[in-house]
Amino acid sequence: MWISRYVCLFLIYSCLGWIYETVFCTMRDGSWENRGFLYGPVLPIYGTGVAAISFIIHFSARQGIVLSPWVIYIISVFGSAVLEYGTSWGMEKLFHALWWDYSSLPLNVHGRISLFTSLGFGLGGLLIVYEIVPFFEGLMKDIPSIVVELMSLCLLFAFAVDITVTVTELYHFDQIVIKADASFNQSMTALVDGVVQRTGRVKQDIITRRAAVTEEILFVSGAAKKAIHRVYIFKDADKQAEASKNRVLSALKKISGKSGKRSDDE
């Protein structure tokens, strides 16, 4: 029973995190920005963080320990830093991409976390512990157990489907990029080998082959394009030539441009 309640609260907090990030980034940039890794309006990193600190507080209370605001603040600061760094590192290893980058901020660590954002999350932790968590836990207590269990099953199913679709599309795009890059490099090797004999045709062949590679990258499903839009930047995880990374970033810009035109037409 308590697991079902935590599942529901986890997804509620994930949705609130998505609302906060989307509103903040939209107001900051002056244009709509759908934040998050998944298609649905959830940011699991927020749900995980809030559920974790809520569990710590309840566990401490059962042991007869009441955490002071300063202790909660410190837990929130360090907890958010560990969660952000671990999530960023893991997603970069899996998808060769970043969904946020704090490199422009002072006192950052590899662009994954920064002192000022962690301090801000500490203040957010106080708001969550003293206002948001009690409010939603109070609402959950008034809902019958059977309803909570059904809600948790339905929400968990939708969440699992969202993760599966997102991961599949991003992995598929990553494979397209790797395949296209290998094909382009092979073609370039052949061109260089015959450059003396085919001097007049080299430039046109390069343009043609580069265009073919770009089209292959752009020829992905609509779902994949939506997932790619939410990526802050793709990393060259295999340490290939800088030109390879530039081709990928150029293709992503074209994806964004074409998708924007299509949305306007619709």
Side-chain angles (χ1 to χ4, degrees):
M1 174 57 198
W2 66 272
I3 295 179
S4 298
R5 291 189 180 275
Y6 265 97
V7 168
C8 291
L9 290 172
F10 162 77
L11 291 171
I12 289 173
Y13 300 143
S14 297
C15 183
L16 291 176
W18 177 87
I19 293 172
Y20 162 73
E21 286 261 348
T22 300
V23 171
F24 175 79
C25 292
T26 298
M27 293 178 64
R28 181 193 62 191
D29 300 333
S31 61
W32 168 255
E33 184 171 350
N34 181 11
R35 297 291 295 168
F37 165 65
L38 303 173
Y39 293 105
V42 290
L43 273 171
I45 190 171
Y46 280 87
T48 301
V50 178
I53 194 170
S54 178
F55 177 81
I56 291 172
I57 291 174
H58 286 307
F59 179 79
S60 300
R62 293 192 188 99
Q63 307 303 314
I65 302 174
V66 179
L67 301 180
S68 68
W70 275 111
V71 172
I72 293 174
Y73 178 76
I74 292 173
I75 292 175
S76 300
V77 170
F78 284 96
S80 64
V82 171
L83 189 58
E84 271 201 305
Y85 193 95
T87 302
S88 175
W89 180 86
M91 294 179 75
E92 181 180 337
K93 294 301 180 183
L94 285 174
F95 304 111
H96 305 162
L98 298 176
W99 274 259
W100 66 86
D101 187 5
Y102 298 139
S103 297
S104 61
L105 298 179
L107 302 175
N108 72 84
V109 180
H110 303 148
R112 305 186 194 280
I113 58 175
S114 76
L115 177 62
F116 295 112
T117 54
S118 295
L119 293 176
F121 282 127
L123 294 175
L126 293 175
L127 175 65
I128 288 167
V129 169
Y130 291 110
E131 297 294 337
I132 296 177
V133 168
F135 175 76
F136 283 103
E137 287 188 349
L139 288 180
M140 294 296 294
K141 289 180 181 179
D142 296 331
I143 301 176
S145 300
I146 185 65
V147 175
V148 173
E149 292 181 4
L150 289 174
M151 284 175 54
S152 66
L153 288 174
C154 293
L155 292 173
L156 200 57
F157 174 76
F159 183 65
V161 170
D162 197 347
I163 289 179
T164 302
V165 173
T166 302
V167 171
T168 300
E169 294 294 354
L170 286 174
Y171 178 78
H172 179 61
F173 178 79
D174 192 46
Q175 294 304 304
I176 289 176
V177 171
I178 293 173
K179 180 181 177 181
D181 189 68
S183 175
F184 181 81
N185 288 335
Q186 289 176 0
S187 299
M188 288 300 297
T189 299
L191 284 172
V192 171
D193 290 342
V195 68
V196 176
Q197 292 79 13
R198 297 180 293 170
T199 304
R201 296 173 53 195
V202 168
K203 183 176 181 180
Q204 185 58 42
D205 283 350
I206 290 176
I207 294 173
T208 302
R209 293 178 189 275
R210 187 182 298 275
V213 170
T214 301
E215 285 301 317
E216 186 174 359
I217 293 175
L218 293 176
F219 191 70
V220 294
S221 67
K225 292 178 181 178
K226 291 180 181 178
I228 294 163
H229 285 163
R230 293 190 290 272
V231 176
Y232 176 77
I233 190 172
F234 275 87
K235 301 280 287 185
D236 193 355
D238 295 326
K239 306 300 182 182
Q240 297 178 354
E242 185 66 21
S244 298
K245 182 190 293 185
N246 291 335
R247 288 199 300 277
V248 174
L249 295 177
S250 176
L252 290 176
K253 290 180 180 178
K254 291 184 178 180
I255 291 174
S256 178
K258 289 190 175 183
S259 297
K261 292 179 181 178
R262 187 176 293 106
S263 298
D264 293 338
D265 294 339
E266 293 174 352

